[in-house]
Amino acid sequence: LQKGDLDRAEPGESTLPTKFYSPFFTPLSQLGDFGIGVGLYFSSLRAVAFITLIAGCINLPNMFYYASDEYSRGQPGVNFLLKGSAICTEQVWVPCPTCTVDEFDTARSRIAGATTVTPDGELQTLVFALKNTCDGAKFQVGIVNMASLGFILLAIAALSLYQRRKQIIFDEQEQTAQDYSIEISNPPADSTEPEEWKEFFESRFSGHLTCCTVTIDN
């Protein structure tokens, strides 16, 4: 072991002193002791947190714009945690003769009607819809959105390379049965006895064969 490396104790270990892995001070590089998948999970989790942090910083200009008086007069009445989002509090009722109630099924409060009398004495229903007046389609908003999207796409590609590199590192730190296993992909058709393979390997390579499995492709 190198300095700073941790060695996971075997189940039932009682001869050597042991202690729990610290949830706060265990190096990320040592989480591969619990399996490559566990190490990759936590390393990817840290990478994704970093990616989202940078993406959030890229979107700060949009957040400042949405929270400003220029967009929605400072978003009065909006929860503090939602300040800086695209919520618009500036709305006005406008005529909408083609609107139907079904189109506002999830927001019935945004549609209303008023009944008037035509010059011919007939009743007529005028439909009004609540329209947002905030200008959220500015060029600078689109540029920031495209920049954050481009960064995320590049970061995902880099994350894939990062995971492959971490997989190799975790695999080299731990010794598993896979490191001492071989697979014969083109054996003779009549070689189906494990004992025959055991005798072949031990006599040919002067070693010890611990386990041999023959899988027949039917």
Side-chain angles (χ1 to χ4, degrees), residues 42-64:
F42 283 102
S43 60
S44 299
L45 190 64
R46 183 179 68 173
V48 170
F50 177 76
I51 291 172
T52 53
L53 174 64
I54 299 301
C57 293
I58 294 175
N59 278 277
L60 282 177
N62 281 358
M63 296 171 63
F64 291 145

Side-chain angles (χ1 to χ4, degrees), residues 7-152:
D7 188 19
R8 188 167 69 94
E10 294 297 329
E13 175 63 61
S14 59
T15 58
L16 297 175
T18 62
K19 65 177 181 179
F20 290 115
Y21 281 75
S22 171
F24 300 105
F25 302 107
T26 299
L28 182 62
S29 61
Q30 299 303 305
L31 292 178
D33 292 353
F34 300 94
I36 296 177
V38 175
L40 286 177
Y41 169 77
F42 283 102
S43 60
S44 299
L45 190 64
R46 183 179 68 173
V48 170
F50 177 76
I51 291 172
T52 53
L53 174 64
I54 299 301
C57 293
I58 294 175
N59 278 277
L60 282 177
N62 281 358
M63 296 171 63
F64 291 145
Y65 168 68
Y66 289 140
S68 67
D69 293 338
E70 181 182 358
Y71 176 71
S72 186
R73 297 185 181 180
Q75 296 178 318
V78 176
N79 186 287
F80 174 78
L81 297 177
L82 297 177
K83 290 278 188 179
S85 65
I87 295 177
C88 179
T89 58
E90 298 298 312
Q91 302 163 343
V92 62
W93 289 100
V94 296
C96 187
T98 61
C99 293
T100 63
V101 175
D102 293 338
E103 295 175 339
F104 292 80
D105 185 55
T106 58
R108 291 293 179 89
S109 61
R110 297 184 68 88
I111 188 171
T115 303
T116 61
V117 180
T118 65
D120 298 332
E122 297 180 357
L123 294 178
Q124 181 183 23
T125 300
L126 300 178
V127 180
F128 294 86
L130 198 59
K131 178 183 178 182
N132 293 338
T133 60
C134 303
D135 185 8
K138 283 194 169 186
F139 179 76
Q140 67 179 34
V141 173
I143 289 296
V144 171
N145 289 338
M146 291 298 295
S148 61
L149 178 60
F151 166 75
I152 291 175

Side-chain angles (χ1 to χ4, degrees), residues 175-216:
Q175 291 187 347
T176 62
Q178 183 179 1
D179 297 325
Y180 303 95
S181 301
I182 62 174
E183 177 184 0
I184 307 299
S185 58
N186 58 341
D190 58 347
S191 300
T192 59
E193 295 297 330
E195 290 299 329
E196 182 180 354
W197 283 104
K198 176 179 174 65
E199 181 181 353
F200 168 77
F201 282 117
E202 290 184 345
S203 62
R204 180 64 62 89
F205 301 104
S206 301
H208 174 69
L209 179 63
T210 301
C211 178
C212 178
T213 302
V214 177
T215 302
I216 300 177

